[in-house]
Amino acid sequence: MAENSLKNSIRLENESITVELTNPIEVDGIERIKSDFLTFLRNKFQNSAIQLQHKVNIEKAAERPYTPKEKFEAMLKENPLLSKLKDTFGLDTDY
């Protein structure tokens, strides 16, 4: 799960890395890997001052689709032709 959290928005400022999380549950995952990840980064860049922080952005969490129906509707906004594909093949998006 922590790997997915690192795919979120990341902000670099001087020697501080801030990962923006969309779910409070992701905090545990980040905290679990924080020590090893910091060791890796500090060794890789030969900089012992690098810091890793996280920030939970609840507003972004509200935008994120969770149910199959919400995911399909979000994909429809990006590509309206999915509706035709769904109808042509009789696909069920509410599994």
Side-chain angles (χ1 to χ4, degrees):
M1 178 183 332
E3 296 85 8
N4 288 334
S5 299
L6 292 174
K7 294 177 183 176
N8 293 335
S9 177
I10 297 176
R11 189 177 72 232
L12 303 173
E13 190 173 311
N14 298 324
E15 294 164 332
S16 178
I17 301 168
T18 304
V19 179
E20 188 175 280
L21 306 175
T22 58
N23 188 329
I25 296 171
E26 294 175 321
V27 172
D28 291 336
I30 289 291
E31 289 297 325
R32 258 186 263 121
I33 68 160
K34 185 176 183 175
S35 178
D36 291 337
F37 190 54
L38 271 174
T39 300
F40 169 78
L41 290 173
R42 289 173 177 166
N43 289 336
K44 180 76 172 173
F45 296 106
Q46 298 177 352
N47 184 345
S48 61
I50 295 175
Q51 296 297 315
L52 179 64
Q53 303 169 356
H54 60 271
K55 176 181 136 185
V56 178
N57 186 341
I58 299 297
E59 292 171 6
K60 277 200 172 179
E63 299 171 4
R64 191 175 206 175
Y66 287 102
T67 66
K69 184 176 182 172
E70 290 172 346
K71 290 176 184 177
F72 184 73
E73 288 172 0
M75 289 190 304
L76 271 177
K77 289 178 184 174
E78 292 180 31
N79 190 346
L81 291 177
L82 285 175
S83 179
K84 183 175 180 181
L85 182 69
K86 175 187 170 274
D87 294 340
T88 299
F89 290 104
L91 301 175
D92 181 17
T93 58
D94 297 326
Y95 48 89

